[in-house]
Amino acid sequence: MTAIFVLWIPSTAKFADTLLNSLERHYPPLSVERTETAGAIVVLGGHDAFDRLYQGIRLYRAKKSPLIIISGRGGVISDKKLMMQLHE
């Protein structure tokens, strides 16, 4: 029974959101000026992806990279398609 809870609890969305939010609070976005140039900007989809997308587009428009890669999962309209539409 304990094993079920040990495996089930970390797989819940609430657990994942709590973990992700705590990590994002510890690592806020850098200002565009302080960000170095890179070969690519990678924007991960998922919970609160629009904040990450906004930061990724700001970096792309500031010419910090010639390439932006946006990930997402499927659905009625996938996060990736929605992000790509916002990016255009």
Side-chain angles (χ1 to χ4, degrees):
M1 188 68 161
T2 303
I4 291 173
F5 285 111
V6 168
L7 294 173
W8 175 72
I9 290 175
S11 70
T12 63
K14 181 67 175 167
F15 184 88
D17 290 345
T18 301
L19 182 62
L20 183 61
N21 289 337
S22 69
L23 287 172
E24 286 182 341
R25 274 193 307 269
H26 290 296
Y27 300 100
L30 295 174
S31 67
V32 172
E33 297 79 26
R34 291 186 55 204
T35 304
E36 297 179 22
T37 57
I41 298 165
V42 179
V43 178
L44 302 176
H47 180 72
D48 290 334
F50 292 104
D51 292 337
R52 292 188 292 274
L53 177 63
Y54 173 75
Q55 296 300 330
I57 291 173
R58 282 183 60 219
L59 293 171
Y60 180 77
R61 288 183 176 161
K63 305 213 184 301
K64 295 295 181 170
S65 174
L67 177 66
I68 185 168
I69 300 169
I70 302 170
S71 74
R73 59 178 156 66
V76 175
I77 179 169
S78 73
D79 293 346
K80 183 176 181 179
K81 283 183 183 178
L82 185 56
M83 288 182 194
M84 289 301 292
Q85 289 172 0
L86 291 172
H87 171 62
E88 294 174 348

Coordinates of all heavy atoms in Angstrom, one line a residue:
M1 N 0.8 -1.2 0.0 CA 0.0 0.0 0.0 C 0.9 1.3 0.0 O 0.6 2.2 -0.7 CB -0.9 0.0 1.2 CG -1.9 1.0 1.2 SD -3.1 0.7 -0.1 CE -4.4 1.7 0.4
T2 N 1.9 1.3 0.8 CA 2.8 2.4 0.8 C 3.5 2.7 -0.5 O 3.6 3.8 -1.0 CB 3.9 2.2 1.9 OG1 3.3 2.0 3.1 CG2 4.8 3.4 2.0
A3 N 3.8 1.6 -1.2 CA 4.4 1.7 -2.5 C 3.5 2.4 -3.5 O 4.0 3.2 -4.4 CB 4.9 0.3 -3.1
I4 N 2.2 2.2 -3.4 CA 1.3 2.8 -4.3 C 1.3 4.3 -4.1 O 1.4 5.1 -5.1 CB -0.2 2.2 -4.1 CG1 -0.2 0.8 -4.6 CG2 -1.2 3.1 -4.8 CD1 -1.5 0.1 -4.3
F5 N 1.3 4.8 -2.9 CA 1.3 6.2 -2.6 C 2.7 6.8 -3.0 O 2.7 7.9 -3.5 CB 1.0 6.5 -1.1 CG -0.4 6.3 -0.8 CD1 -0.8 5.3 0.0 CD2 -1.3 7.2 -1.3 CE1 -2.2 5.1 0.3 CE2 -2.7 7.1 -1.0 CZ -3.1 6.0 -0.2
V6 N 3.8 6.1 -2.8 CA 5.1 6.6 -3.2 C 5.2 6.8 -4.7 O 5.8 7.7 -5.1 CB 6.2 5.6 -2.7 CG1 7.5 5.9 -3.3 CG2 6.3 5.6 -1.1
L7 N 4.5 5.9 -5.4 CA 4.5 6.0 -6.9 C 3.4 7.0 -7.4 O 3.6 7.7 -8.4 CB 4.4 4.7 -7.5 CG 5.5 3.7 -7.3 CD1 5.2 2.3 -7.9 CD2 6.8 4.2 -7.9
W8 N 2.3 7.0 -6.7 CA 1.1 7.7 -7.2 C 1.3 9.2 -7.0 O 1.1 10.1 -7.8 CB -0.1 7.2 -6.6 CG -1.3 8.0 -7.0 CD1 -2.0 8.1 -8.2 CD2 -2.0 9.0 -6.1 NE1 -3.0 9.0 -8.2 CE2 -3.1 9.5 -6.9 CE3 -1.9 9.4 -4.8 CZ2 -3.9 10.5 -6.4 CZ3 -2.7 10.3 -4.3 CH2 -3.8 10.9 -5.1
I9 N 1.7 9.6 -5.8 CA 1.7 11.0 -5.4 C 2.6 11.8 -6.3 O 2.2 12.9 -6.8 CB 2.1 11.2 -3.9 CG1 0.9 10.8 -3.0 CG2 2.4 12.7 -3.6 CD1 1.1 10.8 -1.6
P10 N 3.9 11.4 -6.6 CA 4.7 12.2 -7.5 C 4.2 12.3 -8.9 O 4.6 13.1 -9.7 CB 6.1 11.5 -7.5 CG 6.0 10.7 -6.2 CD 4.6 10.3 -6.0
S11 N 3.3 11.4 -9.3 CA 2.8 11.4 -10.7 C 1.5 12.3 -10.8 O 1.1 12.5 -11.9 CB 2.4 10.0 -11.1 OG 1.2 9.5 -10.4
T12 N 1.1 12.9 -9.8 CA -0.1 13.8 -9.9 C 0.3 15.2 -10.4 O 1.4 15.6 -10.2 CB -0.8 14.0 -8.5 OG1 0.1 14.6 -7.6 CG2 -1.2 12.6 -7.9
A13 N -0.7 15.8 -11.0 CA -0.4 17.2 -11.6 C -0.1 18.2 -10.5 O 0.7 19.0 -10.6 CB -1.6 17.6 -12.4
K14 N -0.8 18.0 -9.3 CA -0.6 19.0 -8.2 C 0.8 18.9 -7.7 O 1.5 19.9 -7.5 CB -1.6 18.7 -7.1 CG -1.5 19.5 -5.9 CD -1.9 21.0 -6.2 CE -1.9 21.8 -5.0 NZ -2.0 23.2 -5.3
F15 N 1.4 17.7 -7.6 CA 2.7 17.5 -7.2 C 3.7 18.1 -8.2 O 4.6 18.9 -7.8 CB 3.1 16.0 -7.0 CG 4.4 15.8 -6.4 CD1 4.7 15.7 -5.1 CD2 5.5 15.5 -7.3 CE1 5.9 15.5 -4.5 CE2 6.8 15.3 -6.8 CZ 7.0 15.3 -5.4
A16 N 3.5 17.9 -9.4 CA 4.3 18.4 -10.5 C 4.3 19.9 -10.5 O 5.3 20.6 -10.6 CB 3.9 17.8 -11.9
D17 N 3.1 20.5 -10.4 CA 3.0 22.0 -10.4 C 3.7 22.6 -9.2 O 4.3 23.6 -9.3 CB 1.5 22.4 -10.4 CG 0.8 22.1 -11.7 OD1 1.5 21.8 -12.7 OD2 -0.5 22.1 -11.7
T18 N 3.5 22.0 -8.0 CA 4.2 22.5 -6.8 C 5.7 22.5 -7.0 O 6.4 23.4 -6.7 CB 3.8 21.7 -5.6 OG1 2.4 21.7 -5.5 CG2 4.5 22.2 -4.4
L19 N 6.2 21.4 -7.5 CA 7.7 21.2 -7.8 C 8.2 22.2 -8.8 O 9.2 22.9 -8.6 CB 8.0 19.8 -8.2 CG 9.5 19.5 -8.4 CD1 10.3 19.7 -7.1 CD2 9.6 18.1 -9.0
L20 N 7.4 22.4 -9.9 CA 7.8 23.3 -10.9 C 7.8 24.7 -10.5 O 8.7 25.5 -10.7 CB 6.9 23.1 -12.2 CG 7.2 24.0 -13.4 CD1 8.6 23.7 -13.9 CD2 6.2 23.7 -14.5
N21 N 6.7 25.1 -9.8 CA 6.6 26.5 -9.2 C 7.7 26.8 -8.3 O 8.2 27.9 -8.3 CB 5.2 26.7 -8.6 CG 4.1 26.7 -9.6 OD1 4.4 27.0 -10.8 ND2 2.9 26.4 -9.2
S22 N 8.1 25.9 -7.4 CA 9.2 26.1 -6.5 C 10.5 26.3 -7.2 O 11.3 27.2 -6.8 CB 9.3 25.0 -5.4 OG 9.8 23.8 -6.0
L23 N 10.7 25.6 -8.3 CA 12.0 25.7 -9.1 C 12.0 27.1 -9.8 O 13.0 27.8 -9.9 CB 12.1 24.6 -10.1 CG 12.5 23.3 -9.5 CD1 12.4 22.2 -10.5 CD2 13.9 23.3 -8.9
E24 N 10.8 27.4 -10.4 CA 10.8 28.7 -11.2 C 10.9 29.9 -10.3 O 11.5 30.9 -10.7 CB 9.5 28.7 -12.0 CG 9.5 27.8 -13.2 CD 8.2 27.9 -14.0 OE1 7.2 28.4 -13.5 OE2 8.3 27.4 -15.1
R25 N 10.5 29.8 -9.0 CA 10.7 30.9 -8.1 C 12.2 31.1 -7.8 O 12.6 32.2 -7.6 CB 9.9 30.7 -6.8 CG 8.5 31.2 -6.9 CD 7.9 31.2 -5.5 NE 8.0 30.0 -4.8 CZ 7.1 29.0 -4.8 NH1 6.0 29.1 -5.5 NH2 7.3 27.9 -4.1
H26 N 12.9 30.0 -7.7 CA 14.4 30.1 -7.4 C 15.2 30.6 -8.5 O 16.3 31.0 -8.4 CB 14.9 28.8 -6.9 CG 14.4 28.4 -5.5 ND1 14.6 29.1 -4.4 CD2 13.6 27.4 -5.1 CE1 14.0 28.6 -3.4 NE2 13.4 27.5 -3.8
Y27 N 14.7 30.4 -9.8 CA 15.4 30.8 -11.0 C 14.6 31.7 -11.8 O 14.1 31.3 -12.9 CB 15.8 29.6 -11.7 CG 16.7 28.6 -10.9 CD1 16.1 27.5 -10.3 CD2 18.0 28.9 -10.7 CE1 16.9 26.7 -9.5 CE2 18.8 28.1 -10.0 CZ 18.3 26.9 -9.4 OH 19.0 26.1 -8.6
P28 N 14.4 33.0 -11.4 CA 13.7 33.9 -12.3 C 14.4 34.2 -13.6 O 15.6 34.0 -13.7 CB 13.6 35.2 -11.4 CG 14.7 35.1 -10.5 CD 15.0 33.7 -10.3
P29 N 13.7 34.7 -14.6 CA 14.3 35.0 -15.9 C 15.4 36.1 -15.7 O 15.2 37.0 -14.9 CB 13.2 35.5 -16.8 CG 11.9 35.2 -16.0 CD 12.3 34.9 -14.6
L30 N 16.5 36.0 -16.5 CA 17.5 37.1 -16.5 C 17.0 38.2 -17.4 O 16.1 37.9 -18.3 CB 18.8 36.5 -17.1 CG 19.5 35.5 -16.3 CD1 20.7 35.0 -17.1 CD2 20.0 36.0 -14.9
S31 N 17.5 39.4 -17.2 CA 17.1 40.4 -18.1 C 17.7 40.1 -19.5 O 18.7 39.4 -19.6 CB 17.7 41.8 -17.6 OG 19.1 41.8 -17.6
V32 N 17.1 40.7 -20.5 CA 17.6 40.4 -21.9 C 19.1 40.9 -22.0 O 19.9 40.2 -22.6 CB 16.7 41.2 -22.9 CG1 17.3 41.1 -24.3 CG2 15.3 40.6 -22.9
E33 N 19.4 42.0 -21.4 CA 20.8 42.5 -21.5 C 21.8 41.6 -20.8 O 22.9 41.5 -21.3 CB 20.8 43.9 -20.8 CG 20.0 45.0 -21.4 CD 18.5 44.9 -21.0 OE1 18.2 44.3 -19.9 OE2 17.7 45.3 -21.8
R34 N 21.4 40.9 -19.8 CA 22.4 40.0 -19.1 C 22.4 38.6 -19.7 O 23.3 37.8 -19.3 CB 21.9 39.9 -17.6 CG 22.1 41.1 -16.8 CD 21.9 40.9 -15.4 NE 22.7 39.8 -14.8 CZ 22.3 39.1 -13.8 NH1 21.2 39.3 -13.1 NH2 23.1 38.1 -13.3
T35 N 21.6 38.3 -20.7 CA 21.6 37.0 -21.3 C 22.5 37.0 -22.4 O 22.6 37.8 -23.3 CB 20.1 36.7 -21.8 OG1 19.2 36.8 -20.7 CG2 20.1 35.3 -22.4
E36 N 23.4 35.9 -22.5 CA 24.3 35.7 -23.5 C 23.6 35.2 -24.8 O 22.6 34.6 -24.7 CB 25.4 34.7 -23.1 CG 26.2 35.2 -21.9 CD 27.3 34.2 -21.5 OE1 27.6 33.3 -22.3 OE2 27.7 34.3 -20.3
T37 N 24.3 35.3 -25.9 CA 23.8 34.8 -27.2 C 23.9 33.3 -27.1 O 24.8 32.7 -26.4 CB 24.5 35.3 -28.4 OG1 25.9 35.1 -28.3 CG2 24.2 36.8 -28.5
A38 N 23.1 32.6 -27.9 CA 23.1 31.1 -27.9 C 22.8 30.6 -29.3 O 22.3 31.4 -30.1 CB 22.1 30.6 -26.9
G39 N 23.0 29.3 -29.5 CA 22.7 28.7 -30.8 C 21.2 28.5 -30.9 O 20.7 28.5 -32.1
A40 N 20.5 28.4 -29.8 CA 19.0 28.2 -29.9 C 18.4 28.6 -28.6 O 19.0 28.5 -27.5 CB 18.7 26.7 -30.2
I41 N 17.2 29.0 -28.6 CA 16.4 29.3 -27.4 C 15.3 28.1 -27.4 O 14.6 27.9 -28.4 CB 15.6 30.6 -27.5 CG1 16.7 31.8 -27.6 CG2 14.7 30.8 -26.4 CD1 16.1 33.1 -28.1
V42 N 15.2 27.4 -26.3 CA 14.3 26.3 -26.1 C 13.2 26.8 -25.1 O 13.5 27.1 -24.0 CB 15.0 25.1 -25.6 CG1 14.0 23.9 -25.4 CG2 16.1 24.6 -26.6
V43 N 12.0 26.7 -25.5 CA 10.8 27.1 -24.7 C 10.1 25.8 -24.4 O 9.5 25.2 -25.3 CB 9.9 28.1 -25.3 CG1 8.7 28.4 -24.4 CG2 10.7 29.4 -25.6
L44 N 10.0 25.4 -23.1 CA 9.3 24.2 -22.8 C 7.8 24.5 -22.6 O 7.5 25.4 -21.9 CB 9.9 23.6 -21.5 CG 11.4 23.2 -21.6 CD1 11.9 22.7 -20.2 CD2 11.7 22.2 -22.7
G45 N 7.0 23.6 -23.1 CA 5.5 23.7 -22.9 C 5.1 23.2 -21.5 O 5.9 22.9 -20.7
G46 N 3.8 23.2 -21.3 CA 3.2 22.7 -20.1 C 2.7 23.8 -19.2 O 2.3 24.9 -19.7
H47 N 2.6 23.6 -17.9 CA 2.0 24.5 -17.0 C 2.7 25.8 -17.0 O 3.9 25.9 -17.0 CB 2.1 23.9 -15.6 CG 1.5 24.8 -14.5 ND1 0.1 24.9 -14.4 CD2 2.0 25.5 -13.6 CE1 -0.1 25.7 -13.4 NE2 1.0 26.1 -12.9
D48 N 1.9 26.9 -17.1 CA 2.4 28.3 -17.2 C 3.4 28.5 -18.3 O 4.4 29.2 -18.2 CB 3.1 28.7 -15.8 CG 2.1 28.9 -14.7 OD1 0.9 29.2 -15.1 OD2 2.4 28.7 -13.6
A49 N 3.2 27.8 -19.4 CA 4.1 27.9 -20.5 C 4.1 29.3 -21.2 O 5.1 29.7 -21.8 CB 3.8 26.9 -21.6
F50 N 3.1 30.1 -21.0 CA 3.0 31.4 -21.6 C 4.1 32.3 -21.0 O 4.6 33.2 -21.8 CB 1.6 32.0 -21.5 CG 0.6 31.2 -22.4 CD1 -0.2 30.3 -21.8 CD2 0.7 31.3 -23.7 CE1 -1.1 29.6 -22.5 CE2 -0.2 30.6 -24.5 CZ -1.1 29.7 -23.9
D51 N 4.4 32.2 -19.8 CA 5.4 33.0 -19.2 C 6.8 32.7 -19.8 O 7.6 33.6 -20.2 CB 5.6 32.8 -17.7 CG 4.3 33.4 -16.9 OD1 3.7 34.3 -17.5 OD2 4.1 32.9 -15.8
R52 N 7.0 31.4 -20.0 CA 8.3 31.0 -20.7 C 8.3 31.4 -22.1 O 9.3 31.8 -22.6 CB 8.5 29.5 -20.5 CG 8.7 29.1 -19.1 CD 9.1 27.6 -18.9 NE 8.0 26.7 -19.3 CZ 7.1 26.3 -18.4 NH1 7.1 26.7 -17.2 NH2 6.1 25.4 -18.8
L53 N 7.2 31.3 -22.8 CA 7.1 31.7 -24.2 C 7.4 33.2 -24.3 O 8.1 33.6 -25.2 CB 5.7 31.4 -24.8 CG 5.5 31.8 -26.2 CD1 6.4 31.1 -27.2 CD2 4.0 31.5 -26.6
Y54 N 6.8 34.0 -23.5 CA 7.0 35.4 -23.5 C 8.5 35.7 -23.4 O 9.0 36.5 -24.1 CB 6.2 36.1 -22.4 CG 6.5 37.5 -22.2 CD1 6.0 38.5 -23.1 CD2 7.3 38.0 -21.2 CE1 6.3 39.8 -23.0 CE2 7.5 39.4 -21.0 CZ 7.0 40.3 -22.0 OH 7.3 41.6 -21.8
Q55 N 9.2 35.1 -22.4 CA 10.6 35.3 -22.2 C 11.4 34.8 -23.4 O 12.3 35.5 -23.9 CB 11.1 34.6 -21.0 CG 10.5 35.2 -19.7 CD 10.8 36.6 -19.5 OE1 11.8 37.1 -19.9 NE2 9.9 37.3 -18.8
G56 N 11.0 33.7 -24.0 CA 11.7 33.2 -25.2 C 11.6 34.1 -26.4 O 12.6 34.3 -27.1
I57 N 10.4 34.6 -26.6 CA 10.2 35.6 -27.7 C 10.9 36.9 -27.5 O 11.5 37.4 -28.4 CB 8.7 35.8 -27.9 CG1 8.0 34.5 -28.4 CG2 8.4 37.0 -28.9 CD1 6.5 34.6 -28.5
R58 N 11.0 37.3 -26.2 CA 11.8 38.6 -26.0 C 13.2 38.3 -26.3 O 13.9 39.2 -26.9 CB 11.7 38.9 -24.5 CG 10.4 39.6 -24.1 CD 10.3 40.0 -22.7 NE 11.4 40.9 -22.4 CZ 12.1 40.9 -21.2 NH1 11.8 40.1 -20.3 NH2 13.0 41.8 -21.0
L59 N 13.8 37.2 -26.0 CA 15.2 36.9 -26.3 C 15.4 36.8 -27.8 O 16.4 37.3 -28.3 CB 15.6 35.6 -25.6 CG 15.7 35.7 -24.0 CD1 15.9 34.3 -23.5 CD2 16.8 36.6 -23.6
Y60 N 14.4 36.1 -28.4 CA 14.5 35.9 -29.9 C 14.5 37.3 -30.6 O 15.3 37.6 -31.5 CB 13.4 35.0 -30.4 CG 13.4 34.8 -31.8 CD1 14.3 33.9 -32.4 CD2 12.5 35.4 -32.7 CE1 14.3 33.6 -33.8 CE2 12.5 35.2 -34.0 CZ 13.4 34.3 -34.6 OH 13.4 34.1 -35.9
R61 N 13.6 38.1 -30.2 CA 13.5 39.5 -30.8 C 14.7 40.4 -30.5 O 15.0 41.3 -31.3 CB 12.2 40.1 -30.4 CG 11.0 39.5 -31.0 CD 9.7 40.2 -30.7 NE 8.6 39.6 -31.4 CZ 7.3 39.7 -31.0 NH1 7.0 40.4 -30.0 NH2 6.4 39.1 -31.7
A62 N 15.3 40.1 -29.4 CA 16.6 40.8 -29.1 C 17.8 40.2 -29.8 O 18.9 40.6 -29.5 CB 16.8 40.8 -27.6
K63 N 17.5 39.3 -30.7 CA 18.6 38.6 -31.5 C 19.6 37.9 -30.6 O 20.8 37.9 -30.9 CB 19.3 39.6 -32.4 CG 18.3 40.4 -33.3 CD 18.8 40.7 -34.6 CE 17.9 41.5 -35.5 NZ 16.7 40.9 -35.8
K64 N 19.1 37.3 -29.5 CA 20.0 36.5 -28.7 C 20.3 35.1 -29.3 O 21.1 34.4 -28.8 CB 19.4 36.3 -27.3 CG 19.4 37.7 -26.5 CD 20.8 38.2 -26.3 CE 20.7 39.5 -25.5 NZ 22.0 39.9 -25.0
S65 N 19.5 34.7 -30.3 CA 19.6 33.5 -31.0 C 18.9 33.5 -32.3 O 17.9 34.2 -32.4 CB 19.0 32.3 -30.2 OG 19.1 31.1 -30.9
P66 N 19.4 32.8 -33.4 CA 18.7 32.8 -34.6 C 17.6 31.8 -34.7 O 16.9 31.7 -35.7 CB 19.9 32.4 -35.6 CG 20.8 31.6 -34.8 CD 20.7 32.2 -33.4
L67 N 17.5 31.0 -33.6 CA 16.5 29.9 -33.7 C 15.8 29.8 -32.3 O 16.4 29.9 -31.3 CB 17.3 28.6 -33.9 CG 16.5 27.3 -33.9 CD1 15.6 27.2 -35.0 CD2 17.5 26.1 -33.9
I68 N 14.5 29.6 -32.4 CA 13.7 29.4 -31.2 C 12.9 28.0 -31.4 O 12.3 27.8 -32.4 CB 12.7 30.5 -30.9 CG1 12.0 30.3 -29.6 CG2 11.7 30.8 -32.0 CD1 11.2 31.5 -29.1
I69 N 13.1 27.1 -30.4 CA 12.4 25.8 -30.4 C 11.4 25.8 -29.4 O 11.7 26.1 -28.2 CB 13.5 24.7 -30.2 CG1 14.5 24.8 -31.3 CG2 12.8 23.4 -30.1 CD1 15.7 23.9 -31.0
I70 N 10.1 25.5 -29.8 CA 9.0 25.5 -28.8 C 8.4 24.1 -28.7 O 8.1 23.5 -29.8 CB 7.9 26.5 -29.3 CG1 8.5 27.9 -29.4 CG2 6.7 26.5 -28.4 CD1 7.7 28.9 -30.1
S71 N 8.3 23.6 -27.5 CA 7.8 22.2 -27.3 C 6.4 22.3 -26.8 O 5.9 23.4 -26.3 CB 8.7 21.5 -26.3 OG 8.5 21.9 -25.0
G72 N 5.7 21.2 -26.8 CA 4.3 21.1 -26.3 C 3.8 19.8 -26.5 O 4.4 18.9 -27.1
R73 N 2.6 19.6 -25.9 CA 1.9 18.3 -26.0 C 0.6 18.4 -26.8 O 0.2 19.6 -27.0 CB 1.6 17.7 -24.6 CG 0.8 18.6 -23.7 CD 0.5 17.9 -22.4 NE 0.2 18.9 -21.4 CZ -0.8 19.6 -21.3 NH1 -1.7 19.6 -22.2 NH2 -1.0 20.5 -20.3
G74 N 0.1 17.3 -27.3 CA -1.1 17.4 -28.1 C -2.4 17.7 -27.3 O -2.4 17.7 -26.0
G75 N -3.5 18.0 -27.9 CA -4.7 18.3 -27.3 C -5.7 18.8 -28.4 O -5.5 18.5 -29.6
V76 N -6.7 19.5 -28.0 CA -7.6 20.1 -29.0 C -6.8 21.0 -29.9 O -6.9 20.9 -31.1 CB -8.8 20.8 -28.3 CG1 -9.6 21.5 -29.3 CG2 -9.6 19.9 -27.4
I77 N -6.1 21.8 -29.3 CA -5.0 22.6 -30.1 C -3.8 22.4 -29.2 O -3.8 22.7 -28.0 CB -5.4 24.0 -30.3 CG1 -4.2 24.7 -31.1 CG2 -5.7 24.8 -29.1 CD1 -4.6 26.1 -31.6
S78 N -2.8 21.9 -29.8 CA -1.6 21.7 -28.9 C -0.9 22.9 -28.4 O -1.0 24.0 -29.1 CB -0.6 20.8 -29.7 OG 0.1 21.6 -30.7
D79 N -0.3 22.8 -27.3 CA 0.5 23.9 -26.8 C 1.5 24.5 -27.8 O 1.6 25.7 -28.0 CB 1.3 23.5 -25.5 CG 0.4 23.2 -24.4 OD1 -0.8 23.5 -24.4 OD2 1.0 22.6 -23.4
K80 N 2.1 23.5 -28.5 CA 3.1 23.9 -29.5 C 2.5 24.8 -30.6 O 3.0 25.8 -31.0 CB 3.8 22.7 -30.1 CG 4.9 23.0 -31.1 CD 5.6 21.8 -31.6 CE 6.7 22.2 -32.5 NZ 7.4 21.0 -33.0
K81 N 1.3 24.4 -31.2 CA 0.7 25.1 -32.2 C 0.2 26.5 -31.7 O 0.4 27.5 -32.4 CB -0.6 24.4 -32.8 CG -0.2 23.2 -33.7 CD -1.5 22.6 -34.2 CE -1.2 21.4 -35.1 NZ -2.4 20.7 -35.5
L82 N -0.3 26.5 -30.5 CA -0.8 27.8 -30.0 C 0.4 28.7 -29.8 O 0.4 29.9 -30.1 CB -1.5 27.5 -28.6 CG -2.1 28.8 -28.0 CD1 -3.1 29.4 -28.9 CD2 -2.8 28.3 -26.7
M83 N 1.5 28.2 -29.3 CA 2.7 29.0 -29.0 C 3.3 29.5 -30.4 O 3.7 30.6 -30.5 CB 3.8 28.2 -28.3 CG 3.4 28.0 -26.9 SD 4.8 27.1 -26.1 CE 4.0 26.5 -24.6
M84 N 3.2 28.7 -31.4 CA 3.7 29.1 -32.7 C 2.9 30.2 -33.3 O 3.4 31.2 -33.8 CB 3.8 27.9 -33.7 CG 4.9 26.9 -33.3 SD 6.5 27.6 -33.3 CE 6.7 28.0 -35.0
Q85 N 1.6 30.1 -33.0 CA 0.7 31.2 -33.5 C 1.0 32.5 -32.8 O 1.0 33.6 -33.4 CB -0.8 30.8 -33.3 CG -1.2 29.7 -34.3 CD -2.6 29.2 -33.9 OE1 -3.2 29.6 -33.0 NE2 -3.1 28.2 -34.7
L86 N 1.2 32.4 -31.5 CA 1.6 33.6 -30.7 C 2.9 34.2 -31.1 O 3.1 35.4 -31.1 CB 1.5 33.3 -29.2 CG 0.2 33.0 -28.7 CD1 0.3 32.6 -27.2 CD2 -0.7 34.3 -28.7
H87 N 3.8 33.3 -31.5 CA 5.2 33.7 -31.9 C 5.2 34.5 -33.2 O 6.0 35.4 -33.4 CB 6.1 32.5 -32.0 CG 7.4 32.7 -32.6 ND1 8.3 33.6 -32.0 CD2 8.0 32.3 -33.7 CE1 9.4 33.6 -32.7 NE2 9.2 32.9 -33.8
E88 N 4.3 34.2 -34.1 CA 4.3 34.8 -35.5 C 4.0 36.3 -35.4 O 3.6 37.0 -34.7 CB 3.3 34.1 -36.4 CG 3.7 32.7 -36.6 CD 2.7 31.9 -37.4 OE1 1.5 32.4 -37.6 OE2 3.0 30.8 -37.9

